[in-house]
Amino acid sequence: MMSPGVDALLEQARAGLHRLTPHDTVEAVRAGALLVDTRTEAQRREQGELPGAIVIDRTVLEWRLDPASAWRIPESTSYDRQIVVVCREGFSSSLAAAGLQALGLRLATDMIGGVQGWREAGLPMSDRPADIRY
């Protein structure tokens, strides 16, 4: 069987998302969206911490954000809460957001350009320690 490839998978994932710009993301967080950073520790050390973000490892993302999961974080209380997933450049976050939508988190999306896009938009980084959830 021939694989359609990762580019086709990414295109399919993004077709179901209303992706946000970095500035849109700031407004969404102000309106109550949950900002979730899935970057690795090394990536966060290199790029800096995203203000207001909760850091969740990609390997446990669905368990921490599913409101019905015994392992959810306290902030994940509704399938109707907007969740904005952010990664380094905005690729893996699209796949993660599509997975969250498949789980029932219908307002899950991601940020165009990732943290790189955030920085290029001139938005501030945080000087506080990351809010890391395991």
Side-chain angles (χ1 to χ4, degrees):
M1 183 167 128
M2 186 78 167
S3 168
V6 71
D7 290 335
L9 182 64
L10 181 63
E11 184 179 331
Q12 180 183 14
R14 287 181 171 170
L17 301 175
H18 175 71
R19 302 181 77 216
L20 302 180
T21 67
H23 289 284
D24 292 338
T25 299
V26 170
E27 292 305 313
V29 171
R30 283 188 185 139
L34 188 62
L35 184 61
V36 177
D37 186 346
T38 61
R39 292 176 300 148
T40 65
E41 182 180 350
Q43 291 170 335
R44 293 191 335 272
R45 197 171 36 250
E46 177 189 323
Q47 288 184 302
E49 299 297 347
L50 200 56
I54 294 174
V55 176
I56 301 176
D57 191 272
R58 177 65 190 97
T59 62
V60 296
L61 188 69
E62 290 81 0
W63 286 269
R64 299 301 177 263
L65 295 178
D66 181 357
S69 171
W71 300 282
R72 72 173 179 81
I73 60 171
E75 293 85 352
S76 185
T77 57
S78 170
Y79 288 100
D80 294 325
R81 182 162 191 191
Q82 185 176 28
I83 296 171
V84 183
V85 183
V86 181
C87 66
R88 181 182 176 96
E89 295 180 336
F91 293 96
S92 66
S93 59
S94 294
L95 298 176
L100 293 174
Q101 281 190 355
L103 189 62
L105 294 157
R106 63 182 187 82
L107 298 178
T109 191
D110 76 324
M111 185 174 74
I112 299 166
V115 173
Q116 181 175 318
W118 177 278
R119 293 174 61 111
E120 289 170 1
L123 293 168
M125 298 302 289
S126 177
D127 57 0
R128 295 181 173 194
D131 182 359
I132 301 172
R133 308 294 178 92
Y134 295 101

